[in-house]
Every structure is written in structure tokens, then in C-alpha cells.
Amino acid sequence: MTLKIALAQVNLIVGDIKANSLKIVQTALHARDQLAADLVVFPELTVTGYPPEDLLLRPDFIAQAAQAVTDIARQVAGIDVVLGFPGNYQGRLFNTAAVLRDGAILARYQKNALPNYGVFDEKRYFTADNQSCLFTLKDTKIAITICEDVWQAGILANNKQAGAEIVLTLNASPFHAGKIHQRESVVVDQARALELPLVYVNLVGGQDELIFDGASFVVNHYGDIVFRAEEFKEQISVVEFEKSASSNQSMPLSNTCAPLYNEVSSDYQALALGIKDYVSKNGFQGAILGLSGGIDSALVLALAVDALGHDKVEAVLMPSRYTQDMSIEDAKLEAEALGVRYHVIPIEPAVTAFTGMLAEVFAGTAKDTTEENIQARCRGVILMAMSNKQGRLLLTTGNKSEMSVGYATLYGDMAGGFAPIKDVPKLLVYQLAHYRNSLSAVIPERVITRPPSAELAPDQIDEDSLPPYDILDPILERYVELDQSADEIIAAGFKREDVTRAISLVDRNEYKRRQSPPCIRITPRAFGRDRRYPITSGYRGI
Amino acid sequence: MTLKIALAQVNLIVGDIKANSLKIVQTALHARDQLAADLVVFPELTVTGYPPEDLLLRPDFIAQAAQAVTDIARQVAGIDVVLGFPGNYQGRLFNTAAVLRDGAILARYQKNALPNYGVFDEKRYFTADNQSCLFTLKDTKIAITICEDVWQAGILANNKQAGAEIVLTLNASPFHAGKIHQRESVVVDQARALELPLVYVNLVGGQDELIFDGASFVVNHYGDIVFRAEEFKEQISVVEFEKSASSNQSMPLSNTCAPLYNEVSSDYQALALGIKDYVSKNGFQGAILGLSGGIDSALVLALAVDALGHDKVEAVLMPSRYTQDMSIEDAKLEAEALGVRYHVIPIEPAVTAFTGMLAEVFAGTAKDTTEENIQARCRGVILMAMSNKQGRLLLTTGNKSEMSVGYATLYGDMAGGFAPIKDVPKLLVYQLAHYRNSLSAVIPERVITRPPSAELAPDQIDEDSLPPYDILDPILERYVELDQSADEIIAAGFKREDVTRAISLVDRNEYKRRQSPPCIRITPRAFGRDRRYPITSGYRGI
């Protein structure tokens, strides 16, 4: 006897219970009718999308989700549906999965292991349960788990002991570079150790700063991955299980694994998906950005075009007296190479106006970063005006290295609704530019090779103020992502003066990051919900 | 035999272990030498300040805190010190309190009840313990608890059963209007029910959006509050306990309770303290703000002057063609009444410059909010330039009603480092203005009585776009703070069209709030760490 399990790797909209319900029903009917599946498995918290955050505190929202599950059950017959929702049970809220069969809820599982670290806040909302849940389909005992559960050895072992022959796991496992290997190896190790096949269904899509990368997979009881869905795309697939008469062991028959992107190209895909979903799910007409002739804006332009199409993206060149001719030339080349409409709006009239307006109050003071910030803020006003008028999302183009050390102007180049590369360190910006050019040449070589500059003062280059990026980036990774102390970083071979400079800038610039737009998280620790530092803080890493 | 317990209601700096340690040592020596105390009790997480947020994930920070406790123990003899710190124990982190005696740690208590709701994320960092901790001083058995512990009945009962005669509780209990009554009644009820006296020591001071209001107190075993420290101020006090020979019951002998502020005046004190601490703890030279002639900026100006002194505050008047003469007149009167230096910088030159620069790209389009936003953003550029040049903190002046419905310009009037009244609904703005004028007349009566206007278009008033505030504010409170559904709000007597308008604006403006500066929390749910909504969200409250 064979059992066909469909993996529904879908892209949902947080909070849009109606749209998600429709997608669930359509997908289930497709799995039943087109794929002849006996069972379809959806990602974690399917009905609400993940993470719904404080919507989970609204009684009306929880009631709507419960109603949706009832409605879905009524609309789908002839296939078992396993989906997730926030479920009230005896006055407490659980991260719940339900098996729907014949118009009703056949079984409920409530997540045992609640993550409450990094980007996760599940203990803010949910109670942890400690019960397993098994149901039988076509003579096969199937267990249900949810995401974090499979990262803890005991829970799968309990299922095995209870007689599970196949374990389903519903996930909303967020992407960062290399995460997929970590995820697959954890599951593979457990499948092998327990001799238990697993069906791992992951969410796909962008949700504010999180990317869910899909790559759902099936592992057999030897620990072989025998099926893998594509990364970063919706995909509904079916995997057939056959039960051996002799061993009573359920075996997945598939042997179709989508290849994996390498690290740089997966980052690129993640960033493009993040832009696409932020724009579409928030109802923008497209995107605009300021194009400086530097590498950061060149990369964001390419990402935006790859995500949205060239006709949905508009670029604005805003030269000042400090802008070199080659910056303008290169920016134009970038826009032209990608077929993007661009405008040239010199900022001099506004800068002159502000300088005049402030002449009296600034009389007798020396020039400092104030004057640089005014230029950046004039650009911010222009871009926001165009964004407001056209309903296009303004993308900011700052990278993680800059955001770490505060090398950016609040309300200036930081102005915008979404910051696609805020979690991309500068060295990775270069790698991503090379990768994109390897597909088709869209970023002029000179943009990649010339020394980075903010062009806010005469002959300014980044290295005047900051250590070179090949020194700075590893220091930042150790300090920000790995929580290393200055002494540890110095012991690892970095110069004390570079470490001191970098760390003191990170410490002092929390206030800027707090007001920056959300990014797309591609590292194990992004600025945002992942790293929650006080602004008012006497802590000094150095 | 009597026992003298000092309550150290201190203002600490998050992350500044060195400064906090120094204050702990000085306070303990003062309690020993000036107050003849046997024991001094500090607030929760004394050594690090509260809440240290993700600093708690840094091994170097935890090690520094442990070292600080050892150092403090060595520096203080002749008095028992009870203080809080994040303590590693067998590889796990606990919210710990220690009793220091004779140069060493005599006893450790690890918090049993970890709050992980509202503004609290303690389960992100700490493991919950389930052990009590009693120590003996002068023949009296004393138990230790930390904050949330006393909100749960079982924990105090365990202490009573273990023989506790007095319970100490170390707190970092944040302020919101009315919280003090809630807090005192919880503790009083337990003291009475268990016939157990309690010494409740609270933190005082501002930390980003949180205000800790002090008002430490002592309750006897009848449930009478026999001592209360002042609200919003540092205070080191001693309360003497006498043990009755007959009943063996420890009785506090004090009868000195600081009076409580009423709700509006306590809000005012909280806001002033919030400004004062944000400015001083972050090392600003003072504050500046834009003064429009409206009531919001008038209130913020008064608060800033009361918090910092008139010489530390500067005001900027930035009239446009839509600014009425009376707005300018009133703004000048406000600055003069408070003795604040002010500048008048008309924004017309910058607005004209931007209008010209955008003429070509905006050709053929109709005027909309874009043009209003440009005006607000020109003001933002001026204010930020002055803030940058002078090292003064820019205060934004938007209130909670506006922030709820998005009636504010991102990077315009929302630009600034701190938003003192972002958690103050408009109706409360009026009450606070009246309260401040009752102390001395600083806000012209006309500012309070004229209809509110953003003055960004001809003859504009807020009620053109929004329901009147006496309708809007209660709707917002129900939707934002109480999680009521539209149907519930309508059933409570509000018009459907007003509810629809208000709720849909709240839903659509999450992106703006995400980039707003931190506020001072005075309601049970402020925008910020307290209310965590997705930006990308299909949820519609209506």
C-alpha cells in the first residue's frame, strides 16, 4: 500500500486569514485532484502566516483563525489536511497543528518546544504543551511536530516510542546564509538515529525582515534526503511512501532533489525575494531609489529590477558639488543597462537654501558633519517626495558595515521604507555584485574597483573615517554577531586601534539603527528584532 | 531587638557596571554610617541596570557583572547588602539577587517568575528557578523575592511556609498611569493574607521608553503601608523592624508615607523625568524643538524646561505661508514665558527650492499630501542641522493620537531622537497643559482653546481629516490598548464611520511608527517594545 503525502510550500500573508484560507483550500484541492495525494501538509501557523507577532494578543484575530479552520475543513473533503493555527484550548493559546478529515478536526497537536531567542518570541504568546499527537492514515501511524520540536532530540524520540512511522513537521524556519545545511543536518541526524522518516515542510516568502526559504524536504529512515523542493519559490509536490511488508518501515520513493544555491547566490535570491514580497504584500506600485554611482546603490538597483521588473523601478541621480563626473556617468550606465527610467535632480538649490537659512544661527561655527548631513537630507526629501507622489517604495541603499558604525545620515540616505542590504556587510556587497555581473554585466567594473566614498565632502573616501572593509567587516562580525569582547578580537590578530574604532562606533550608534527601516535578514544576527540593544547604555565594548 | 533595613531607591545606568557599582558602594556605606542600617536592599538587576536587553547575551558583560559583585562585597563590611545581577550558575543565566556579608556572598536567590509579556522579555535571557532563599540576620529569617515573584501568590506562600518573617522584594517595576495602585494592592493583599511584612524596593529613573517610578514601600503583616518613598526621585531611607516577644512577629515601626501624585500630575512628573534622564544619560548638551504655536509643542517645551532648565533648551519657530500670525505670536509667548532662547527661520526658501527641483518630475500631477510633507521635512532638516551642530537632542512633539493614525510626517515632524509625548493621547495633552498652567501660566490660553491644526495647507484643521479627539481618543484606547474589535467598539456606542476611519488609519501606519523615536511610556501599552505589530500585515480591524 502506498501513501501519497503532498508538501505545500506556500507563500502566505501575515494577518490575511481570508487570503491564506483561500490558498489553503485551493492547494489542498490541487493536491487531491492533480497529485492524487492522500494528505497535504502546510507550514507552521498556516492560517495566520508567520510570525503574526502581537496580532496574537487580539481575541478577534484568534477567533477568526479558529473560524477559518472550521471553514477550511468544511470545504475540503477526500484528502487529509495538516495545517497550523494559533489555537485556544482551555483558556490558553497554543501554537497548534490540526489534522482535518471529513469536514472536521481529527486531531490536534500543540507545539512542545517554543523558541524564544533570536528573532523568536513564542513564549510571549504561547503555552508549551508536552503531549505527542499521532493519527492513522492508510494503516500508517503519523506523528506531527512543529519547527523547534525537531531541534530537540527528546520530542522525536517520544514520537518513535509512541509508534510513529512517519513524522510530519510544519515549519516557519527563517533563512540566513548557511542555515539550510544546519537545518538539514539536524533533521537527518535524528532521522538516522531514530530510524524514522520525516516530511519537513517549510514556509516560503518574505515577511518584513524575515525570509523563509522553502527547500522543504523528505528524509528516509536511513537519513538520506530523497526529496527537496526548490529554495525561495512556492512549490506543491507529492512524495509517495511505501510500507515494506517485512520490516513495516515506511519508505519514501522519491529521488528528486532540487539543487542548492551556493552561499552568495542564495543570499542574492533571498534579497530579491525580500524586495518582491515587501513591495507586493504592502501594495506599492514599485520602487524608487537614489543612484549615486557607488556599489551599494548599484547592487540595490539590480536586486530591485530582478525582483520587480525594470518598469517597476525608478532611479534618481542627485549630484552635488562633491559628486565626481564618473559617479554620474556610472549611475547612468547602471540605469541604462537595466532598462530603468532615471531622473537627474541636482541638490544644489536646496543645499543653498538651507545654508542661507542657517547662516545666522551657524555664524562663527566650523564646518563639520552637519553640512554633510544637510546634503544627504536634501536627497532624502527629494526621494520621499517622489515616493509619496508615485506610491513607490523608497529603498535605502546602506549596507551592514555602514549601519554598524553609523556611517549614514538619519533621515538622509537612511530615509526609506525598506533597507534591502542593511544586513549585507560591505565585502559581501562586492561578492553579490560580482555574482550579479556573472549573470549579465549590469554594474560597471569601475564601480566595483574604485574606493568607496560618500561624496559629501571634497575628495572624501570611506577609509578616511573607517578601517578598510577587509579589516572592519570581520571585526564587526565578531563583535555584533558573535558577541566577542574587544580582547578576544584583538587576540584573534586585529589591531587594537581598529578594534577600538569599530566597537566604539557600534556602541554609539544604536539610536540611528533604531530608526532605520527594516532590512532583509541574511546573517545569523541582523539589526532589528534579532538584536535588541538599549539606546541609553553605559556599556562600552572597549 | 530591632532590625534596621535601608531601602535604596536609586537611579542606575543600564550597562554602566562601573558607575552602578560605585553608587551601590557609596549608598551602602551611607546606609551603614548615616542611617545605622543593618541591611540595605537595592532594586532588581542593580549592577547592570534594568532592562539590559541583549547586553545579557554578551559573555564579557556577564563576567563584568559577576566581578562587580565580588568587588562590591570586598568594599562593604558591617552591613548586609542585597543587590541584583545577572548570574551564571551551572551554565545557565538567572535573574539573581545576592546577600553580601563580610566580604562574600552569603546567599543567592534566583528569580522564580519571569515576565515575558508587555515590555518584558525575561525568558529570552533567563532560566526560571523554583527555589526559595532565606537568610538570618539578628535572629530574623528574611526571604528574598524579585519583582514578578510577588505578583504570583504561590511564591510568597512558600516563603511563609519556610519560616520567613520578613520578605524583601527587589523590583524594576515600570510606571504607567495608575500602576502604583495596582502594585500596592497586589502586595498589600498578599501581606495581609499571609500575615507577612514586605519591604518593596523599586528602581527609579528613565531608561529609553521606560520610567521606573520609585515609590518603594513597606507593608506590615496587617497589610498596612507604613512607609512609602517619594515617586520619581532617588531616596535612601531606613525602616526599623521590632520583633514582638509574644507573637514573634516582626513589625515595621515607621509611619512616614510620601503622598502620591494624582494621575495627571504623576504623568507630568514621569514625562519630565524621562526627558531629563534620556538627555543626561546619553550625554546631550540640552534639547531643541520646533515650536509651532500649537499645544503639543507648547507642552513639550514646558516639560523640557522643567526637566532640564531653561538655559538647556532652545526653540525654533519655522513659519510657512500657511502659518497664522497668532501661531507665531503664541510660540514666542511660550518661549518668553519659560525664558527659552528661540530662533525664527521661515522655511519658504527651502520649500521653493524643492518645488523648483521637483517641478519637472511632478509636472501634470495634482497637489496632495506630498507637498505638505515637503514642508514638514524642511523643518526636519533645519532642526536636525541645529541638533547636529550643537549636540542638543531634538525632541519631537507628536502625541499618541497622531502617532496612532499616522497624522505625522516621517522625517518631518517625526524627526528627532526622543518623542516625549508619543504615548500621550491628545485629550491628556490638554489635561497636562492645564496642570502645568496651574503651577504657573506658561501656555497661552488661546493655544489650548483654538482648534488643532497642522498648518500645512490653507485653513487646515485636524478635524478635516480625523474624528474629533473626544471621539477618536477613546476609540484608539479600545483598539490599541485593549485589543477590542471594531464590533465591540461600535457596540459601546461609537459611530461606525468614526471607528472605521480610526482603525483603518491605525492599521495602515505601522511603518511610520516603526521608524519613530522612542517615547516615554505612560499608558499600559505604548507604541514600541510594548506593542509589536508586523508592518507587512493583511489584518484589517475593520
Side-chain angles (χ1 to χ4, degrees):
Chain A
M1 182 154 51
T2 67
L3 177 66
K4 286 184 164 180
I5 300 181
L7 290 79
Q9 176 175 304
V10 288
N11 191 341
L12 303 163
I13 299 176
V14 162
D16 198 339
I17 291 175
K18 213 167 151 185
N20 296 338
S21 296
L22 186 64
K23 180 169 274 191
I24 292 165
V25 169
Q26 288 175 339
T27 304
L29 297 179
H30 171 83
R32 181 192 69 187
D33 300 337
Q34 308 300 315
L35 305 177
D38 301 298
L39 168 68
V40 57
V41 187
F42 286 91
E44 182 175 13
L45 290 185
T46 330
V47 168
T48 57
Y50 191 93
E53 304 188 60
D54 280 7
L55 290 172
L56 292 170
L57 303 178
R58 302 195 72 88
D60 61 332
F61 186 70
I62 300 302
Q64 286 167 26
Q67 184 59 48
V69 175
T70 307
D71 293 346
I72 293 165
R74 259 201 300 262
Q75 291 172 71
V76 183
I79 183 169
D80 283 8
V81 176
V82 181
L83 53 67
F85 67 103
N88 245 323
Y89 188 69
Q90 298 185 333
R92 291 179 301 174
L93 194 66
F94 294 90
N95 185 331
T96 305
V99 186
L100 311 182
R101 181 182 294 175
D102 301 332
I105 294 182
L106 173 75
R108 281 170 77 110
Y109 170 73
Q110 299 177 154
K111 193 172 182 177
N112 290 5
L114 299 176
N116 205 68
Y117 55 82
V119 300
F120 301 109
D121 287 295
E122 293 200 15
K123 290 182 182 171
R124 182 173 171 88
Y125 311 108
F126 298 119
T127 302
D129 199 9
N130 57 11
Q131 302 294 307
S132 300
C133 166
L134 273 75
F135 68 102
T136 304
L137 175 63
K138 285 192 157 182
D139 210 29
T140 303
K141 277 192 166 172
I142 302 174
I144 303 178
T145 58
I146 302 177
C147 212
E148 191 77 4
D149 289 334
V150 300
W151 295 72
Q152 301 201 358
I155 294 170
L156 282 185
N158 290 347
N159 282 317
K160 176 74 177 184
Q161 237 174 353
E165 294 163 278
I166 299 173
V167 174
L168 310 178
T169 167
L170 289 71
N171 301 273
S173 176
F175 169 82
H176 62 72
K179 173 78 168 285
I180 192 166
H181 303 298
Q182 203 182 343
R183 189 191 291 150
E184 288 189 350
S185 102
V186 163
V187 174
V188 160
D189 286 353
Q190 293 221 56
R192 188 185 295 129
L194 296 168
E195 299 189 353
L196 197 55
L198 273 114
V199 176
Y200 186 106
V201 178
N202 197 15
L203 182 63
V204 71
Q207 169 59 28
D208 290 347
E209 66 193 57
L210 299 182
I211 297 295
F212 299 95
D213 53 337
S216 302
F217 62 97
V218 174
V219 56
N220 68 20
H221 70 285
Y222 301 119
D224 307 316
I225 292 178
V226 297
F227 169 83
R228 183 190 301 117
E230 281 196 87
E231 296 173 272
F232 307 111
K233 286 208 177 99
E234 285 199 304
Q235 186 178 326
I236 321 298
S237 326
V238 74
V239 171
E240 194 166 356
F241 282 76
E242 193 169 58
K243 197 142 149 186
S244 134
S246 55
S247 71
N248 217 26
Q249 182 74 55
S250 269
M251 274 288 285
L253 302 178
S254 166
N255 190 12
T256 51
C257 287
L260 294 177
Y261 289 104
N262 70 26
E263 208 162 294
V264 173
S265 55
S266 73
D267 285 341
Y268 195 91
Q269 300 302 321
L271 296 170
L273 178 57
I275 294 172
K276 181 171 179 235
D277 277 9
Y278 195 89
V279 167
S280 67
K281 292 180 181 180
N282 286 295
F284 287 100
Q285 301 303 309
I288 67 161
L289 74 166
L291 208 55
S292 70
I295 185 146
D296 297 315
S297 59
L299 175 63
V300 175
L301 182 72
L303 283 164
V305 169
D306 290 345
L308 307 172
H310 68 98
D311 54 325
K312 295 282 187 202
V313 182
E314 213 167 284
V316 191
L317 285 58
M318 293 167 290
S320 77
R321 72 188 80 168
Y322 305 119
T323 306
Q324 296 195 32
D325 290 342
M326 72 169 156
S327 301
I328 305 278
E329 288 159 19
D330 290 345
K332 287 181 180 171
L333 288 173
E334 292 158 15
E336 282 156 11
L338 288 158
V340 164
R341 188 172 168 216
Y342 67 88
H343 308 274
V344 182
I345 303 180
I347 60 168
E348 210 58 40
V351 173
T352 306
F354 283 118
T355 308
M357 291 155 74
L358 288 161
E360 198 176 323
V361 287
F362 283 3
T365 65
K367 275 203 179 179
D368 56 20
T369 51
T370 304
E371 283 74 17
E372 302 186 16
N373 288 337
I374 288 173
Q375 298 168 57
R377 292 193 180 115
C378 286
R379 295 192 174 106
V381 173
I382 291 287
L383 289 167
M384 283 303 297
M386 294 181 66
S387 166
N388 289 163
K389 190 66 99 183
Q390 303 173 344
R392 290 181 195 257
L393 173 66
L394 173 55
L395 300 174
T396 70
T397 63
N399 61 57
K400 189 176 196 177
S401 311
E402 291 171 354
M403 281 311 304
S404 301
V405 296
Y407 199 70
T409 300
L410 198 54
Y411 324 131
D413 51 310
M414 285 175 63
F418 201 52
I421 62 169
K422 194 177 83 172
D423 197 37
V424 181
K426 187 81 175 188
L427 296 179
L428 182 55
V429 169
Y430 286 104
Q431 291 181 282
L432 288 165
H434 280 297
Y435 164 76
R436 181 58 187 83
N437 273 355
S438 77
L439 306 180
S440 66
V442 295
I443 303 174
E445 197 53 30
R446 185 167 65 174
V447 173
I448 301 179
T449 53
R450 65 186 280 213
S453 164
E455 295 196 329
L456 293 170
D459 302 323
Q460 184 179 42
I461 62 168
D462 291 10
E463 284 192 22
D464 297 340
S465 320
L466 301 173
Y469 287 110
D470 56 351
I471 305 283
L472 180 63
D473 277 4
I475 294 175
L476 293 174
E477 184 187 12
R478 286 167 184 270
Y479 187 66
V480 173
E481 291 176 39
L482 305 175
D483 288 326
Q484 291 185 6
S485 68
D487 287 344
E488 287 174 279
I489 301 173
I490 292 163
F494 294 89
K495 276 193 243 161
R496 179 172 291 275
E497 66 193 76
D498 289 337
V499 174
T500 303
R501 177 98 186 115
I503 288 184
S504 65
L505 287 169
V506 173
D507 289 345
R508 283 194 332 233
N509 283 287
E510 191 54 37
Y511 75 100
K512 278 193 196 175
R513 291 189 287 268
R514 193 67 70 91
Q515 290 191 43
S516 65
C519 67
I520 302 170
R521 177 177 179 266
I522 62 159
T523 72
R525 186 180 288 166
F527 294 119
R529 55 187 288 135
D530 221 0
R531 182 181 182 277
R532 308 177 187 176
Y533 267 54
I535 299 178
T536 305
S537 169
Y539 174 78
R540 292 294 172 260
I542 197 89
Chain B
M1 184 156 47
T2 68
L3 175 67
K4 284 184 165 180
I5 300 181
L7 292 80
Q9 176 174 304
V10 288
N11 191 340
L12 303 163
I13 299 176
V14 162
D16 198 339
I17 292 175
K18 213 167 147 186
N20 295 339
S21 297
L22 185 64
K23 181 169 272 189
I24 293 166
V25 169
Q26 289 175 339
T27 304
L29 297 180
H30 170 83
R32 182 193 69 188
D33 299 337
Q34 308 302 315
L35 306 176
D38 300 297
L39 167 69
V40 57
V41 187
F42 286 91
E44 182 174 13
L45 290 184
T46 330
V47 168
T48 58
Y50 192 94
E53 303 189 62
D54 280 7
L55 290 172
L56 291 170
L57 303 178
R58 301 195 73 87
D60 60 332
F61 185 70
I62 300 302
Q64 286 168 25
Q67 184 60 49
V69 175
T70 307
D71 293 346
I72 292 164
R74 259 202 299 263
Q75 291 172 70
V76 184
I79 183 169
D80 282 9
V81 175
V82 181
L83 52 67
F85 68 102
N88 245 322
Y89 187 69
Q90 298 185 335
R92 291 180 300 175
L93 195 66
F94 294 90
N95 185 332
T96 306
V99 185
L100 311 182
R101 180 184 294 174
D102 299 332
I105 294 183
L106 173 76
R108 282 169 76 110
Y109 170 74
Q110 300 178 152
K111 192 172 183 179
N112 289 6
L114 299 177
N116 204 69
Y117 55 81
V119 300
F120 300 108
D121 287 294
E122 293 200 15
K123 290 181 181 170
R124 181 174 172 88
Y125 310 107
F126 299 117
T127 303
D129 199 7
N130 58 11
Q131 302 295 308
S132 299
C133 166
L134 274 76
F135 68 102
T136 303
L137 176 61
K138 285 192 158 181
D139 209 30
T140 304
K141 280 192 164 176
I142 302 175
I144 302 178
T145 59
I146 302 176
C147 212
E148 191 78 4
D149 289 334
V150 298
W151 295 72
Q152 301 198 0
I155 293 170
L156 282 185
N158 290 347
N159 281 318
K160 175 74 177 184
Q161 238 174 353
E165 293 162 281
I166 299 174
V167 174
L168 310 179
T169 167
L170 289 70
N171 300 274
S173 177
F175 170 82
H176 62 69
K179 173 78 168 287
I180 192 166
H181 303 297
Q182 205 181 343
R183 189 192 292 149
E184 289 189 348
S185 103
V186 164
V187 175
V188 160
D189 287 353
Q190 293 221 54
R192 189 185 293 129
L194 295 167
E195 299 188 354
L196 195 56
L198 274 114
V199 175
Y200 186 105
V201 178
N202 197 16
L203 183 63
V204 70
Q207 169 58 29
D208 290 349
E209 64 193 57
L210 301 182
I211 297 296
F212 299 96
D213 52 337
S216 302
F217 62 96
V218 175
V219 55
N220 67 21
H221 70 284
Y222 300 119
D224 306 315
I225 292 178
V226 296
F227 169 82
R228 184 191 300 118
E230 280 196 87
E231 296 174 271
F232 308 112
K233 288 210 177 96
E234 286 198 303
Q235 186 176 327
I236 322 299
S237 324
V238 73
V239 171
E240 192 166 357
F241 281 76
E242 192 169 58
K243 200 143 146 185
S244 132
S246 55
S247 70
N248 218 24
Q249 182 75 56
S250 271
M251 275 289 284
L253 301 180
S254 167
N255 192 10
T256 52
C257 288
L260 294 177
Y261 289 103
N262 71 26
E263 208 162 294
V264 172
S265 54
S266 73
D267 285 341
Y268 195 91
Q269 299 304 321
L271 296 169
L273 177 58
I275 294 171
K276 181 170 178 237
D277 276 9
Y278 195 89
V279 167
S280 67
K281 292 181 181 180
N282 286 294
F284 287 99
Q285 301 304 310
I288 67 161
L289 74 166
L291 208 55
S292 70
I295 184 144
D296 298 314
S297 58
L299 175 62
V300 175
L301 181 72
L303 283 163
V305 170
D306 290 344
L308 307 172
H310 69 99
D311 53 326
K312 295 283 186 200
V313 182
E314 213 167 285
V316 191
L317 284 59
M318 294 167 290
S320 78
R321 73 189 80 168
Y322 304 119
T323 305
Q324 297 195 34
D325 290 342
M326 72 170 154
S327 301
I328 305 277
E329 287 159 22
D330 290 343
K332 287 180 181 174
L333 288 174
E334 291 158 16
E336 283 156 10
L338 288 158
V340 164
R341 190 174 164 211
Y342 66 88
H343 308 273
V344 182
I345 305 181
I347 60 168
E348 209 60 40
V351 173
T352 306
F354 283 118
T355 309
M357 292 155 72
L358 288 162
E360 197 176 323
V361 289
F362 283 2
T365 64
K367 276 204 178 178
D368 56 20
T369 50
T370 304
E371 284 74 15
E372 301 186 18
N373 289 336
I374 288 174
Q375 299 168 55
R377 292 194 180 112
C378 287
R379 295 191 175 108
V381 174
I382 291 287
L383 289 168
M384 283 303 296
M386 294 181 66
S387 165
N388 290 164
K389 192 64 101 185
Q390 304 174 343
R392 289 181 194 258
L393 173 67
L394 173 55
L395 300 174
T396 71
T397 62
N399 61 56
K400 189 174 195 176
S401 311
E402 290 171 355
M403 280 312 304
S404 300
V405 296
Y407 198 70
T409 300
L410 199 53
Y411 323 132
D413 51 311
M414 285 175 63
F418 201 54
I421 62 169
K422 194 176 83 172
D423 196 37
V424 182
K426 187 79 174 188
L427 296 181
L428 181 55
V429 169
Y430 287 104
Q431 290 180 283
L432 288 165
H434 280 298
Y435 165 74
R436 181 60 187 82
N437 272 355
S438 77
L439 306 182
S440 65
V442 294
I443 304 174
E445 197 54 30
R446 186 167 65 174
V447 174
I448 300 180
T449 52
R450 66 187 278 211
S453 164
E455 295 198 328
L456 293 168
D459 302 324
Q460 186 179 41
I461 61 167
D462 292 8
E463 283 192 23
D464 297 339
S465 319
L466 301 174
Y469 287 109
D470 57 350
I471 305 283
L472 180 62
D473 277 3
I475 294 174
L476 293 174
E477 184 187 12
R478 286 166 184 272
Y479 187 65
V480 173
E481 292 175 41
L482 304 175
D483 288 325
Q484 292 186 5
S485 68
D487 287 344
E488 286 173 279
I489 301 172
I490 291 163
F494 293 89
K495 274 193 244 162
R496 178 171 292 275
E497 67 194 75
D498 288 337
V499 174
T500 302
R501 177 96 186 115
I503 288 185
S504 65
L505 287 170
V506 173
D507 288 345
R508 284 194 332 235
N509 282 290
E510 191 53 36
Y511 75 101
K512 277 193 198 178
R513 289 187 288 266
R514 193 65 71 92
Q515 289 190 43
S516 64
C519 66
I520 301 170
R521 176 176 179 266
I522 61 159
T523 72
R525 186 181 286 168
F527 295 119
R529 55 187 288 136
D530 219 2
R531 182 180 181 277
R532 307 176 188 177
Y533 267 55
I535 299 178
T536 305
S537 169
Y539 174 79
R540 292 292 173 262
I542 198 89

